[in-house]
Amino acid sequence: MPKVGFVSLGCPKNLVDSEVMMGILARSGYEITPRAADADVLVVNTCSFIEPARKESVDSILEMAEYKKFGRAQKLIVAGCLVERYRDEIREQIPEVDAVIGTGDVEKILAACEGETVHDSEPSPTFLYHDLTPRILATPLHTAYIKINEGCDHPCAFCIIPQLRGRFRSRRFESVIREAENLAAAGVREINLIGQDTTFYGEDLGLRNGLPLLLERLAAIENLDWIRFLYCYPNRITPKLLDTIAAHERLVKYMDIPLQHASRSVLARMKRGSNADAFLKMLTRIRRTVPGVSLRTSFIVGFPGETEADFRELCGFVREAEFDWMGVFAYSDEETAKSYACDGKIDADTIGRRRDELMAIQQKISQRKLRKKIGKTFTAMLEGPSAETDLVWTARIEGMAPDIDGKIYVTEIAGVNDSSELPSPGTMARIEITEARDYDLIGRAVEVFARPPRPNGLPEPATASSQPFPILA
Ligand code: SF4
């Protein structure tokens, strides 16, 4: 069987595309290998939304090209968002690349690997996978992403994602439900719903309140412990959505709402609208309707025309809003974004200073919030041995999303005397917090809950086999 190795870069939406491509190839007899040196075919699924991501993608392609020049690999395929921008340049400038497939051509991965000519798809990607599309999870087997929609119709001036991912399009309601049921039957305990804007789900299908309706149905799936959704658009946080989250235990008390800025004038230049006061009222409404909710957001600093006063307003807003998790991006001047034509560009040093200053404010907030958890006990999902050492496991409370938020380092698991007694990743436990760091916690599992039997009667996977399918490190 030919062996194929995948490098998957960028966001979870791109990871799902890699999982679909792995599924399509595995169904056709390919073996997925974690070692580039063993691969006959190498696939780099790229990211390209800002400069640092583009650089990482080009570096990865060139690294894999070395394996083709000096190793076993016969083919090098480049997929993803970089292709949507630089399809011809990649072909011209990196001769080791045998084929390029865009975000709309995911299903053409087999043809590309087989050396068939892959014709570029229509100008705007339209591909959307469904529950019968083969897919191999690259996440640990107790947690999985489900992409519920693709593309975006918002006009944010700094963003080129609509050019890379196409117009907004939702997956069929029942297809998402069936996929979630299949994943739960396969042992997945946590589902993370993703899309460019999950709060717009179903509108293009004529569904009103599509996301709350979807969440209600997903909350009824027996063997799921946690259902989370990421990437909310701020002006779509409806009372119906909040009431739905509050009404169902399986819907985690967690919201990810990228706000991008808080100054009215900067938000207007970003073509996003709103302002700090409106956002504070929204956060108060969320915290009142969903007690104990954890809130994540992200901001861009250095947008053209951002004055020191605008930045000060953003700092004041962050101090007042007290998010649990926050990301800050330095503005990246993308030539195909509307903001490229804006005046008032800001120098890199000022942008860097503002990013560091805003993160320093959040660091203090995070420390204070996490310290308040010391001595308390929380229900958490055990995730398995930490990347640092097998002696320490990691876990997450429902207020911690995978890959982007902090985690709990578990130094002790009650009732476990040797590795043979270790629970399966994805098992729920009560964890007493003993220490707090800037963004992580330390604790000990004082009680481990038995995992409910899998609906299909299949035995629980032994700890080792719950490792994710191999993506090249
Ligand atoms: S909503 Fe997000 S993906 Fe869509 S244009 Fe705005 S920033 Fe880009």
Side-chain angles (χ1 to χ4, degrees):
M1 296 209 281
K3 292 186 176 174
V4 58
F6 268 79
V7 176
S8 189
L9 302 170
C11 66
K13 288 148 272 182
N14 218 29
L15 182 67
V16 171
D17 289 353
S18 296
E19 294 175 337
V20 165
M21 288 189 272
M22 291 200 291
I24 291 171
L25 293 176
R27 182 184 60 183
S28 309
Y30 281 72
E31 181 190 330
I32 315 291
T33 174
R35 285 169 37 79
D38 296 345
D40 302 295
V41 180
L42 290 164
V43 180
V44 182
N45 191 14
T46 60
C47 174
S48 176
F49 83 119
I50 53 174
E51 170 49 27
R54 252 198 318 287
K55 184 176 179 318
E56 183 191 19
S57 292
V58 173
D59 291 349
S60 298
I61 297 168
L62 296 176
E63 187 193 342
M64 292 304 123
E66 294 300 300
Y67 282 98
K68 190 180 168 210
K69 270 192 257 173
F70 305 109
R72 167 183 166 140
Q74 302 299 310
K75 282 202 177 56
L76 174 57
I77 314 245
V78 176
C81 291
L82 193 75
V83 173
E84 291 300 334
R85 292 186 79 179
Y86 305 109
R87 202 177 281 270
D88 301 332
E89 292 85 343
I90 295 168
R91 287 181 179 131
E92 286 150 20
Q93 295 168 25
I94 312 177
E96 291 80 12
V97 172
D98 298 280
V100 293
I101 54 172
T103 60
D105 303 325
V106 166
E107 286 176 302
K108 298 178 183 168
I109 185 65
L110 181 60
C113 289
E114 307 279 308
E116 293 162 30
T117 308
V118 175
H119 298 291
D120 304 346
S121 67
E122 3 15 71
S124 181
T126 56
F127 172 73
L128 205 45
Y129 82 107
H130 52 74
D131 58 296
L132 298 175
T133 308
R135 181 185 168 197
I136 291 183
L137 291 188
T139 50
L141 294 184
H142 61 274
T143 181
Y145 293 105
I146 292 185
K147 200 191 294 195
I148 62 173
N149 51 32
E150 182 57 285
C152 189
D153 294 345
H154 288 288
C156 308
F158 52 82
C159 185
I160 61 168
I161 292 174
Q163 298 163 31
L164 307 176
R165 295 265 157 190
R167 299 295 310 273
F168 182 88
R169 50 205 190 276
S170 300
R171 284 186 52 199
R172 295 286 158 195
F173 193 94
E174 292 305 329
S175 169
V176 175
I177 300 295
R178 282 193 298 272
E179 184 179 13
E181 287 166 344
N182 295 342
L183 289 168
V188 169
R189 296 285 174 236
E190 175 188 40
I191 296 272
N192 297 289
L193 306 180
I194 55 174
Q196 308 304 347
D197 171 4
T198 53
T199 43
F200 198 54
Y201 174 73
E203 303 260 345
D204 56 324
L205 303 175
L207 272 180
R208 260 178 54 71
N209 291 314
L211 182 59
L213 293 174
L214 187 67
L215 291 171
E216 261 161 14
R217 280 283 301 279
L218 292 170
I221 299 177
E222 275 302 315
N223 262 314
L224 288 178
D225 294 313
W226 286 348
I227 298 144
R228 183 192 318 274
F229 59 99
L230 301 169
Y231 310 104
C232 300
Y233 199 83
N235 65 5
R236 293 184 196 284
I237 312 284
T238 61
K240 167 87 176 158
L241 179 61
L242 298 178
D243 293 342
T244 304
I245 300 168
H248 298 276
E249 198 184 330
R250 283 199 185 95
L251 301 182
V252 298
K253 308 308 172 258
Y254 179 96
M255 294 191 78
D256 165 42
I257 315 167
L259 296 176
Q260 311 300 2
H261 213 283
S263 142
R264 181 190 293 275
S265 66
V266 175
L267 285 162
R269 288 167 72 90
M270 285 179 166
K271 305 236 179 300
R272 288 183 61 95
S274 199
N275 57 70
D277 289 345
F279 287 157
L280 287 171
K281 289 195 181 82
M282 174 189 73
L283 298 177
T284 305
R285 188 163 54 86
I286 294 172
R287 285 170 169 145
R288 196 180 45 238
T289 316
V290 188
V293 67
S294 286
L295 294 172
R296 159 171 274 277
T297 192
S298 54
F299 295 109
I300 294 174
V301 292
F303 187 82
E306 180 191 60
T307 64
E308 197 57 29
D310 292 324
F311 177 64
R312 291 282 141 233
E313 184 180 0
L314 177 58
C315 293
F317 172 76
V318 166
R319 284 194 191 89
E320 200 169 343
E322 294 218 335
F323 290 98
D324 298 274
W325 313 105
M326 186 183 92
V328 181
F329 290 92
Y331 172 73
S332 182
D333 204 22
E334 302 303 317
E335 72 266 12
T336 56
K338 299 184 199 71
S339 57
Y340 193 70
C342 289
D343 54 11
K345 298 279 169 73
I346 298 166
D347 66 279
D349 291 349
T350 303
I351 296 178
R353 172 185 58 77
R354 288 178 181 172
R355 183 198 49 222
D356 298 347
E357 194 175 328
L358 200 59
M359 281 311 293
I361 293 170
Q362 180 61 22
Q363 187 181 27
K364 290 202 177 63
I365 292 169
S366 178
Q367 287 166 345
R368 200 171 50 245
K369 279 178 170 263
L370 293 181
R371 276 199 206 113
K372 285 186 189 147
K373 295 185 191 309
I374 296 174
K376 297 189 178 134
T377 301
F378 298 88
T379 296
M381 184 177 279
L382 293 168
E383 299 228 275
S386 72
E388 293 82 5
T389 159
D390 285 0
L391 298 175
V392 173
W393 272 39
T394 62
R396 284 182 289 118
I397 51 180
E398 66 179 283
M400 296 169 162
D403 306 323
I404 50 176
D405 297 333
K407 55 174 74 98
I408 307 174
Y409 288 92
V410 182
T411 55
E412 216 184 297
I413 301 181
V416 171
N417 302 312
D418 66 46
S419 62
S420 67
E421 294 164 358
L422 282 167
S424 298
T427 300
M428 305 302 274
R430 295 287 289 167
I431 299 200
E432 182 193 347
I433 305 302
T434 53
E435 233 179 292
R437 298 278 169 80
D438 292 350
Y439 301 108
D440 298 306
L441 294 166
I442 297 177
R444 56 196 196 90
V446 292
E447 184 189 355
V448 176
F449 301 142
R451 277 183 64 152
R454 288 165 64 170
N456 55 15
L458 287 174
E460 276 308 322
T463 309
S465 72
S466 353
Q467 294 314 309
F469 233 95
I471 289 265
L472 296 181

